[in-house]
Amino acid sequence: MVKEIVIDLEKCNGDGICVDTCPVNVYELDEGTGKAKVVHLEECIECLACQENCPEEAIKVIVDD
């Protein structure tokens, strides 16, 4: 189960790759900053597509052991 998703806003460039690759719509781009934000953590299925496809390595999915 996903405990947390950490987005490093210093690294995030707002390209929306996480939004596009997430199959369950966990992310959206913040209207104010233009950067990614988590809006549906409870929907995360731990596929890690966001973490693996982020070219800036700005996303870290933290799961319970």
Side-chain angles (χ1 to χ4, degrees):
M1 185 169 137
V2 173
K3 180 177 180 182
E4 181 180 10
I5 297 174
V6 177
I7 300 173
D8 184 334
L9 296 178
E10 294 291 318
K11 292 181 178 180
C12 178
N13 65 9
D15 58 18
I17 290 175
C18 56
V19 176
D20 294 339
T21 59
C22 179
V24 292
N25 301 313
V26 168
Y27 303 93
E28 66 181 38
L29 294 180
D30 185 274
E31 290 182 21
T33 65
K35 297 186 181 216
K37 68 178 182 179
V38 177
V39 290
H40 298 289
L41 178 64
E42 72 281 356
E43 298 296 324
C44 182
I45 58 172
E46 299 176 33
C47 69
L48 303 181
C50 57
Q51 183 173 297
E52 293 173 1
N53 288 288
C54 179
E56 304 301 322
E57 298 182 351
I59 298 175
K60 172 96 173 132
V61 178
I62 301 169
V63 296
D64 282 333
D65 292 331

